[in-house]
Amino acid sequence: DGGITQSPKYLFRKEGQNVTLSCEQNLNHDAMYWYRQDPGQGLRLIYYSQIVNDFQKGDIAEGYSVSREKKESFPLTVTSAQKNPTAFYLCASSIQNGELFFGEGSRLTVL
Amino acid sequence: QQQVKQSPQSLIVQKGGISIINCAYENTAFDYFPWYQQFPGKGPALLIAIRPDVSEKKEGRFTISFNKSAKQFSLHIMDSQPGDSATYFCAARLLGGKLIFGQGTELSVKP
């Protein structure tokens, strides 16, 4: 089945640690996105990539980093510079200007 | 301004009733207005969408009403069912593909 796979589903991190969230898609989509979801704030764009080896900052990129070495993969690293990282993280993909398809999300909790 | 404002934040409706969620936008450069439905612990999924040259779109029990002059659009769920209980996000797409999401509405349909 085609879709987007995010892992892990749940992740706990100690303060000061970097963590990497995985996102893999087999939809052959060019564009991939990372969103952060907090209660009452909707979905906020962290980073997006429209083509391999290229990505752009979204609205809340500080404290995060990404890479896009393969079309299928768009991992997100939450660094220790992110002051409030506890959130639900959603990865999505699309064709250019097309519908967004989301993964099932990764919930990160900082202990 | 790129904001999309969504209301109410939460909504409780009796089974069989009509659920109405409203969104307003400020930027006239939006060219596409989708609604996403999200069940707990899952990623959002596209529910229904409309383009600004259309005033209404209906798909089953779900209808989008669009008022271009007022810069408002709304989702109506007719004959609401407990299975419709979810979080709903409106969104607006800028020319070039970036989606701006509303804050979300948590809908609960009581049996």
Side-chain angles (χ1 to χ4, degrees), chain A residues 9 33 35 37-45 48 50 58-59 88 90 96-105 107, chain B residues 2 9 31-32 36 38-39 41-47 51 87 89 93-104:
Chain A
K9 193 169 180 67
Y33 309 79
Y35 287 89
Q37 183 175 6
D38 296 282
Q41 296 196 52
L43 305 178
R44 293 183 292 167
L45 183 63
Y48 64 104
Q50 294 181 313
D59 300 315
F88 190 52
L90 288 161
Q96 294 300 338
N97 289 328
E99 172 191 347
L100 280 185
F101 289 84
F102 285 88
E104 295 212 331
R107 186 166 297 282
Chain B
Q2 296 184 358
Q9 189 171 353
D31 68 349
Y32 175 71
Y36 284 81
Q38 183 184 29
F39 293 105
K42 303 293 185 183
L46 180 66
L47 181 65
R51 296 192 184 277
T87 299
F89 293 97
R93 188 178 71 188
L94 285 167
L95 298 173
K98 182 180 177 182
L99 268 182
I100 310 296
F101 285 88
Q103 294 82 358

Side-chain angles (χ1 to χ4, degrees), chain A residues 55-72:
Chain A
F55 50 82
Q56 286 78 41
K57 292 182 179 180
D59 300 315
I60 56 165
E62 186 176 350
Y64 300 97
S65 66
V66 294
S67 63
R68 187 86 186 277
E69 296 177 1
K70 298 186 299 182
K71 187 176 185 178
E72 303 80 20

Side-chain angles (χ1 to χ4, degrees), chain B residues 18-93:
Chain B
I18 302 173
S19 303
I20 302 174
I21 304 171
N22 300 299
C23 286
Y25 63 97
E26 297 174 355
N27 191 327
T28 56
F30 294 129
D31 68 349
Y32 175 71
F33 299 85
W35 285 86
Y36 284 81
Q37 179 188 54
Q38 183 184 29
F39 293 105
K42 303 293 185 183
L46 180 66
L47 181 65
I48 186 172
I50 197 167
R51 296 192 184 277
D53 53 349
V54 176
S55 61
E56 186 176 281
K57 183 173 182 181
K58 183 175 181 179
E59 290 185 0
R61 296 183 296 108
F62 300 91
T63 300
I64 301 177
S65 297
F66 188 84
N67 186 330
K68 190 173 182 178
S69 61
K71 297 180 188 174
Q72 295 175 346
F73 58 111
S74 60
L75 176 69
H76 291 63
I77 306 174
M78 311 299 288
D79 187 24
S80 299
Q81 299 297 312
D84 297 330
S85 297
T87 299
Y88 293 82
F89 293 97
C90 64
R93 188 178 71 188

